[in-house]
Amino acid sequence: MSDLQKGFFDKLIIEPTKNNLSIVLFWLGLLFVFIGAIFGGSIDSWKYVPSGTGEAILKSGSAILGAGVFAVIMKSAQFTELFQKHIYDVFYSPQEVKDGVPLIEKWKSITNALLKNVLPSTHHQAVERIEKQFFNSELDYHFEEHTVSYEISIDESNIATVKSVTNSTLIISPFTKDPTLKQYIETEGKFTFKALRLNGASFYKPELFTVDPKNPNRHLLEVPLREHANKKANTDERIIRLERVVEWTQDLTNDPYIKGAIKRYIKGAKIRVKVPESHKVHFERFGLGELPDEHYITDDGHGFERWQLVTPDNLLLPGQGYILVLVPQKSGE
């Protein structure tokens, strides 16, 4: 492509898309929802399409549509400044948060006022959605210096064995009395809980991971945290260093995706992936924001590709996340 053609393409396609990203997300989400809802069954019947693709398109459309609507809301400078200030106070100025109930009610009133001009007839529903996603019951701790490493092997039957190692600093929120670590892994394959360390001490017990009675493919981890917080002099006893190791299998023919959904606030996060030479990893971030090219490292010195999902001085919000797609390499590539 010549410079003239590239310039014309950038001016005609790229720049308008960047300047109207929220609108593009909105209409793209509607398109995916329409295709998934109307043609999902037909798509699944195609010979070379994995089972469940129609449902995946529908779910992707819903996620993109939600991101588009929320992007419109978040473009309000007043809302963004208010939201960031509140989160900062919760993490670093707990003395400013005297009583959660009145504070939430004040936030609702202010946010409703800000959104009246954006969503005149539905701003109350928008406020409820924002409150549910960002000020829910999962505020008793957040993560910092968060790293998730995936080491993946794939056999001749296209069955992947995924070893996932999570290393993170868990910060208990102020005024939280009895916080509990809550995490889950969902897989149709064989699941193995291999290790759990809190502040360097092993806390491995197979029974800590239980099966969700409503979903046999969902494995739940629940661990009381207060007794494991650091008890050093002149500290607030809110810091726990977490290391978790799990392993599962999945059939890449039907399910070539690994999804990481963010449920809590995370300050600073990176994803590391190692796959055999027979496959390649495609990384896609979902939710708000983009992942700059310079945040990708092809080899971190240990054979892992690495993506800096968010820098150490920035936050990931609940509802954001990433998808890893494992694609076979063609011979000669």
Side-chain angles (χ1 to χ4, degrees), residues 198-199 203 223-231 239-241:
L198 302 175
N199 287 333
F203 197 68
V223 181
L225 291 173
R226 178 59 68 186
E227 61 185 281
H228 302 286
N230 281 336
K231 292 180 169 53
I239 301 174
I240 298 176
R241 188 62 190 171

Side-chain angles (χ1 to χ4, degrees), residues 25-45:
L25 287 173
F26 179 81
W27 288 109
L28 184 62
L30 281 181
L31 177 62
F32 273 46
V33 169
F34 176 79
I35 293 174
I38 303 300
F39 303 106
S42 300
I43 292 173
D44 287 337
S45 66

Side-chain angles (χ1 to χ4, degrees), residues 4 9 28 141 145 153 187-188 196 206 237 269 273:
L4 180 61
F9 180 79
L28 184 62
Y141 62 85
E145 302 172 332
S153 60
T187 177
E188 295 182 358
L196 178 67
E237 301 182 1
V273 185

